[in-house]
Amino acid sequence: MRAPSKLKISLAVTAAASLIAVTGCSANQPSESSASGGSDKLEITSWWTSGSEADALNVLIDGVKAAKPGLSVDNAAVSGGGGANARQALAARLQAGSPPDSWQVHPAGQLKSYVDGGQVADLTELWTQNNWASQMPKDVAAAQQVNGKYYTVPIGVHRGNVLWTNPAVLAKANVKIDPAAGVDGLIASLKQVQASGATPVCLGDKDIFASAELLESVIMSRTGADNWKKLFTNEYSFDAPEVKQALADYKTILSLANKDHSAITWDEAAKKMANGACAVNLMGDWAYGELVNGGKNPGKDFTWVTFPGKEDIFDYVGDGFSIPANNIPHADAANAWLKTLMDPKIQTEFAAKKGSIPALKSADISGLSEYQKEAAKSFASAEVVSSLAHAQAAGAEFAQTYADAVSTFNGSGNIDAFIASMTQAQKTQL
Ligand code: GAL
């Protein structure tokens, strides 16, 4: 553990002061005339700028506008899949003391980094008043907590380890990808696709999260869910033979991908796959929302399997929103926003555009797609783990080290160097 910086300490102090301010305008006691300067405006930041992401976000924006007629919402989304750009822009605003009213956050690890920095408000009172914890799976509620207090609200649950496949390209190569055949089976299938003359893998890692997510899918498939979890409690080593094997596998998979992968984005890669430019694309199930948004027909233009591995793992990537601990510009509107996100009807409508499943058990999924119904079943029955590529399994610093190590590895292919960086980070950052 590193000693907290002076900045962190001073933020924590102001956080404690503003916590009082925030709980003072909680759900049941909205304070229209708080220091916020009124309730007619709301500024929110996220990284939801692709077609499906923007449409899904608009469901939320329309929802809060309906709850607060006359409200003007400033959608300050910053483009860049996975959110690295958006979080950088947010960090600058937090440092300058001018936060938006609410921002997108992943639960657990990333949330904890904001809590440790004293940057997000304690929402425990709002949770208790509205009895939210009882309305969602225990794991989901737990991920929104740090040290027993709630600091965010969950809008949806994504699965990170999905392999999207093009049925025509696979059929032409006479390949059927069997999730039970594991990583070895997958690599054999991809080589068979290559022998048919097609590109096996579409990858779009202009934003590095895409290859970070591909590598984590291979690692967890090789280690199994339990050992994946132990990587973040220091009970299992990045030096383990399974991790080494996964890095070698990943290197092979990378060699079977489109050569321009670092020049294209996650959504471009998913569309390339659906258009027949390759056989498979590993991406979280926001790709489902994006492909459908782009007019692709699930089951025909594209199909899916869980990333092949030794067991059925659900790589959980949660989306939610927090509000600032200090200097909140429009506290009352932010409060209405959080409550809108926790409306089951809004969660269903959002999921329909986004490809996720709702966080709330009371949200009706009967009208969602077959894919989403499958995802909901898996979330209840599979081994659920958290994503590192999305800073959920560990804090922001560790996740950044991982992203940097993946980036370096993509260029060098040096397995030992990757393991050394992660082992060092395990010792010093967890
Ligand atoms: C993830 C987020 C998803 C999706 C994806 C690509 O971090 O959880 O909702 O937006 O990034 O931008």
Side-chain angles (χ1 to χ4, degrees):
M1 272 280 173
R2 289 192 174 170
S5 66
K6 268 193 192 150
L7 174 70
K8 280 188 180 168
I9 292 169
S10 75
L11 283 171
V13 172
T14 30
S18 75
L19 188 114
I20 297 160
V22 169
T23 43
C25 62
S26 61
N28 296 339
Q29 308 140 3
S31 95
E32 295 293 331
S33 58
S34 61
S36 67
S39 59
D40 54 342
K41 284 200 177 114
L42 175 73
E43 189 198 10
I44 46 172
T45 65
S46 72
W47 52 91
W48 286 338
T49 58
S50 77
S52 59
E53 289 175 332
D55 280 2
L57 179 57
N58 278 331
V59 168
L60 308 181
I61 293 175
D62 290 348
V64 71
K65 281 183 174 167
K68 272 188 103 55
L71 180 74
S72 113
V73 179
D74 183 359
N75 173 2
V78 175
S79 68
N85 301 341
R87 287 190 295 274
Q88 208 176 356
L90 173 69
R93 291 187 59 175
L94 292 175
Q95 189 136 21
S98 67
D101 293 301
S102 182
W103 64 82
Q104 183 185 353
V105 65
H106 292 302
Q110 190 177 90
L111 178 66
K112 183 171 185 304
S113 296
Y114 287 122
V115 173
D116 289 348
Q119 293 158 318
V120 282
D122 179 355
L123 304 175
T124 309
E125 197 181 315
L126 197 60
W127 274 74
T128 311
Q129 283 165 350
N130 291 283
N131 208 10
W132 283 334
S134 67
Q135 295 170 47
M136 64 187 78
K138 277 202 177 69
D139 284 358
V140 176
Q144 320 305 316
Q145 284 185 316
V146 176
N147 298 329
K149 291 180 177 166
Y150 291 97
Y151 291 92
T152 186
V153 299
I155 179 66
V157 171
H158 273 300
R159 184 177 203 165
N161 57 334
V162 188
L163 198 62
W164 306 96
T165 58
N166 183 300
V169 177
L170 289 179
K172 198 166 161 241
N174 202 15
V175 166
K176 195 175 177 317
I177 292 176
D178 174 9
V183 183
D184 291 333
L186 172 64
I187 290 177
S189 295
L190 296 177
K191 288 189 171 159
Q192 203 174 321
V193 171
Q194 188 181 38
S196 79
T199 303
V201 179
C202 277
L203 174 64
D205 63 354
K206 188 171 179 188
D207 297 298
I208 198 67
F209 89 92
S211 42
E213 201 176 297
L214 173 58
L215 175 57
E216 84 178 10
S217 299
V218 185
I219 295 177
M220 62 181 67
S221 290
R222 283 290 184 193
T223 63
D226 275 353
N227 284 336
W228 171 260
K229 289 182 198 161
K230 286 179 182 166
L231 284 171
F232 311 103
T233 52
N234 242 326
E235 297 164 280
Y236 184 71
S237 166
F238 276 92
D239 208 11
E242 293 82 359
V243 179
K244 277 192 182 150
Q245 179 61 52
L247 284 157
D249 298 332
Y250 170 74
K251 219 162 133 174
T252 306
I253 295 172
L254 212 55
S255 75
L256 297 168
N258 49 307
K259 298 293 166 247
D260 65 347
H261 60 86
S262 61
I264 68 171
T265 55
W266 68 270
D267 46 318
E268 288 169 337
K271 281 175 197 149
K272 258 169 103 91
M273 177 280 303
N275 287 334
C278 66
V280 307
N281 169 239
L282 177 285
M283 188 41 60
D285 53 15
W286 43 92
Y288 182 91
E290 192 63 17
L291 290 172
V292 170
N293 183 276
K296 297 297 175 197
N297 201 336
K300 294 209 170 84
D301 297 325
F302 69 96
T303 48
W304 54 87
V305 287
T306 303
F307 195 86
K310 59 181 189 183
E311 58 194 343
D312 186 18
I313 296 179
F314 189 110
D315 185 14
Y316 171 22
V317 182
D319 285 318
F321 283 84
S322 294
I323 65 172
N326 331 297
N327 302 329
I328 184 162
H330 310 99
D332 189 61
N335 199 53
W337 166 249
L338 297 179
K339 290 181 79 177
T340 298
L341 300 179
M342 294 303 279
D343 176 336
K345 283 207 184 83
I346 297 278
Q347 290 219 346
T348 300
E349 231 184 292
F350 173 85
K353 308 263 182 217
K354 193 70 173 62
S356 50
I357 53 173
L360 290 169
K361 288 187 284 191
S362 49
D364 182 8
I365 64 161
S366 62
L368 294 181
S369 66
E370 285 313 307
Y371 169 75
Q372 285 162 301
K373 285 181 198 157
E374 268 177 40
K377 263 197 203 144
S378 280
F379 190 57
S381 63
E383 296 293 330
V384 177
V385 304
S386 290
S387 167
L388 174 60
H390 297 274
Q392 196 166 314
E397 195 182 358
F398 192 85
Q400 188 58 50
T401 301
Y402 173 65
D404 293 343
V406 172
S407 202
T408 306
F409 185 74
N410 283 354
S412 71
N414 187 331
I415 293 180
D416 291 339
F418 177 92
I419 289 172
S421 308
M422 295 312 296
T423 306
Q424 176 63 20
Q426 233 182 357
K427 280 189 201 137
T428 55
Q429 295 173 8
L430 286 177

